[in-house]
């Protein structure tokens, strides 16, 4: 029977949650890297036992960790993230020039077909790649070197490259999203990039045709139609049917506030491609619940019916084995959850 492995990054360590295909009973292991912020950990699609984790601390800096045995043991790899060439400047919060400074790795995206190749999205926004299992990192400077780069400006959480998507049908196509610059696409393996923000409208940008400057929080790709993308943006949910060339709003009847101000924890599901949304509440607290779900803290497995998983800033990880119809906590009282990823195992 197939199994699943849920990888959870928190404010104070990483946890690995495992179950069989029924997804009724769970084994919880961890914390790994106790006391460290784990911004992201993810398994390789090419080798499910290969995992990468971004371990960071305001005191001790950035450490990339790698596991070759499904998260049982870990070893530190390379941690040199140097911008290529003259780093230059971007805009600071007040609009003044500010030098590019590496702070941390927000997102790790292993290659679809090579367990030794992995991409890293960092703050200040840059894209790096390793071809030797994380030992050495080289910047793909075409993104940060885009002509719009000097005008990029951080969002409230910093200027982070938080989303990397690899197109399974076009090996050279990569999508990246940056807060608060917007979404970008490369069709040549990351050598050159173009903004893909047409149709986005942001209250803080008076120019409706602005090429960059949009506060994109998250991108997701349709699992069987890679040209269909979904975006959660400051205020709006958007959809593209042409690989980002144009976007239309599909917020529909979704709530627009951050967090859950009514004290009700809900997941919203659309069966119409985003035009209509239904709240899913069975098994989720519907009073006195004031947690948040951060941008990287929700994932979906590939079983039938699909399992859905999300973690909260209150330290709960919830799971649904029936596509969201009902929910139950896998674990409670973890540190605040930063990221959730899932592996579907053979």
């Amino acid at each position: 029977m197939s199994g699943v492995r849920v990888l959870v990054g928190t404010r104070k360590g990483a946890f690995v949650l495992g179950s069989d295909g029924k997804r009724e009973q769970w084994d919880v292991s961890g914390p790994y890297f106790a006391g460290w912020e784990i911004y992201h950990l993810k398994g390789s699609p090419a080798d499910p036992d290969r995992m990468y984790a971004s371990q960071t601390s305001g005191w001790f800096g950035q450490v990339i960790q790698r596991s070759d045995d499904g998260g049982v043991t870990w070893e530190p790899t390379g941690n040199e993230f140097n911008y290529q060439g003259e780093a230059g400047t971007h805009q600071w919060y007040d609009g003044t020039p500010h030098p590019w400074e590496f702070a941390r790795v927000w997102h790790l995206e292993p290659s679809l077909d090579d367990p030794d190749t992995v991409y890293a999205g960092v703050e200040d926004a840059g894209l790096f790649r390793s071809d030797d299992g994380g030992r050495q990192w080289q910047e793909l400077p075409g993104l940060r070197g885009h002509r719009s780069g000097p005008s990029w400006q951080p969002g409230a959480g910093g200027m982070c490259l938080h989303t990397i998507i690899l197109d399974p049908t076009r090996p050279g196509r990569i999508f990246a999203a940056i807060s608060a610059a917007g979404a970008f696409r490369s069709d040549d393996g990351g050598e050159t990039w173009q903004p893909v923000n047409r149709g986005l409208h942001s209250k803080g940008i008076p120019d409706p045709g602005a090429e960059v400057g949009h506060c994109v929080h998250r991108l997701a790709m349709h699992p069987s139609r890679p040209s269909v993308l979904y975006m959660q943006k400051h205020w709006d949910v958007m959809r593209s049917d042409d690989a980002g060339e144009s976007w239309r709003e599909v917020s529909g009847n979704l709530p627009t506030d951050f967090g859950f101000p009514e004290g009700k924890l809900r997941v919203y599901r659309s069966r119409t491609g985003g035009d209509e949304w239904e709240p899913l509440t069975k098994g989720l607290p519907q009073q006195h619940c004031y947690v948040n779900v951060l941008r990287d803290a929700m994932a979906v497995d590939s079983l039938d019916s699909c399992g859905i998983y999300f973690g909260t800033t209150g330290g709960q990880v919830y799971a649904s084995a029936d596509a969201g119809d009902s929910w139950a906590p896998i674990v409670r009282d973890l540190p605040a959850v930063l990221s959730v990823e899932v592996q579907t195992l053979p």
Side-chain angles (χ1 to χ4, degrees):
M1 176 182 289
S2 299
V4 294
R5 187 188 288 146
V6 179
L7 312 178
V8 182
T10 79
R11 292 283 185 198
K12 294 184 178 181
F15 297 82
V16 179
L17 319 177
S19 183
D20 61 20
K22 293 182 179 179
R23 296 158 293 185
E24 295 174 350
Q25 303 294 323
W26 292 87
D27 296 321
V28 179
S29 57
Y32 303 99
F33 328 116
W36 287 70
E37 291 187 314
I38 307 300
Y39 267 58
H40 197 224
L41 66 159
K42 192 164 187 178
S44 166
D47 178 359
D49 286 333
R50 170 67 61 86
M51 298 179 185
Y52 296 93
S54 170
Q55 171 185 350
T56 188
S57 162
W59 291 101
F60 303 110
Q62 174 71 49
V63 180
I64 298 296
Q65 297 276 355
R66 189 183 79 199
S67 175
D68 294 319
D69 55 13
V72 177
T73 62
W74 296 82
E75 63 172 334
T77 58
N79 294 291
E80 293 293 327
F81 291 88
N82 298 312
Y83 298 116
Q84 184 171 310
E86 183 68 29
T89 62
H90 60 81
Q91 286 193 46
W92 196 231
Y93 293 96
D94 60 2
T96 60
H98 188 82
W100 294 82
E101 298 174 325
F102 172 80
R104 61 185 59 83
V105 173
W106 278 73
H107 186 91
L108 293 164
E109 192 65 30
S111 163
L112 299 176
D113 54 18
D114 178 6
D116 284 334
T117 298
V118 57
Y119 297 83
V122 311
E123 176 191 351
D124 284 334
L127 180 63
F128 288 77
R129 183 177 65 203
S130 172
D131 296 318
D132 59 4
R135 293 183 178 87
Q136 299 180 67
W137 296 90
Q138 297 81 36
E139 186 187 16
L140 298 176
L143 177 57
R144 191 174 53 86
H146 186 267
R147 65 180 183 277
S148 65
S151 68
W152 297 356
Q153 199 167 12
M159 196 167 75
C160 54
L161 196 162
H162 52 70
T163 303
I164 304 168
I165 300 176
L166 308 176
D167 190 327
T169 62
R170 298 185 57 159
R173 177 165 283 181
I174 307 172
F175 294 90
I178 298 167
S179 179
F184 297 80
R185 190 186 77 207
S186 173
D187 292 323
D188 55 12
E191 292 296 319
T192 61
W193 295 80
Q194 61 172 318
V196 284
N197 300 304
R198 185 178 304 139
L200 303 186
H201 303 285
S202 299
K203 296 179 182 179
I205 304 176
D207 178 7
E211 183 179 49
V212 297
H214 301 278
C215 193
V216 176
H217 291 179
R218 179 70 166 156
L219 291 181
M221 178 180 284
H222 192 289
S224 61
R225 289 184 284 162
S227 63
V228 177
L229 301 172
Y230 293 90
M231 173 191 294
Q232 198 275 314
K233 185 178 73 69
H234 204 102
W235 296 297
D236 304 318
V237 175
M238 309 293 291
R239 172 176 170 155
S240 172
D241 294 307
D242 51 15
E245 293 290 338
S246 61
W247 296 88
R248 64 181 177 90
E249 186 176 354
V250 291
S251 302
N253 56 326
L254 286 171
T256 57
D257 294 304
F258 287 104
F260 300 91
E262 297 179 350
K264 301 176 181 180
L265 182 56
R266 298 174 177 178
V267 173
Y268 284 79
R269 180 176 66 194
S270 176
R271 297 187 184 274
T272 60
D275 295 314
E276 299 173 344
W277 297 87
E278 58 177 319
L280 307 174
T281 62
K282 185 178 180 181
L284 300 177
Q286 295 303 293
Q287 59 180 350
H288 307 307
C289 182
Y290 300 98
V291 298
N292 289 317
V293 179
L294 301 181
R295 74 178 88 227
D296 244 346
M298 190 173 195
V300 182
D301 69 32
S302 58
L303 296 177
D304 188 18
S305 64
C306 71
I308 309 172
Y309 313 87
F310 71 91
T312 76
T313 54
Q316 302 88 22
V317 178
Y318 286 93
S320 170
D322 53 14
D325 287 337
S326 61
W327 299 86
I330 299 177
V331 63
R332 297 180 181 270
D333 303 322
L334 297 183
V337 175
L338 301 179
S339 69
V340 173
E341 294 286 359
V342 63
Q343 296 175 286
T344 306
L345 306 175

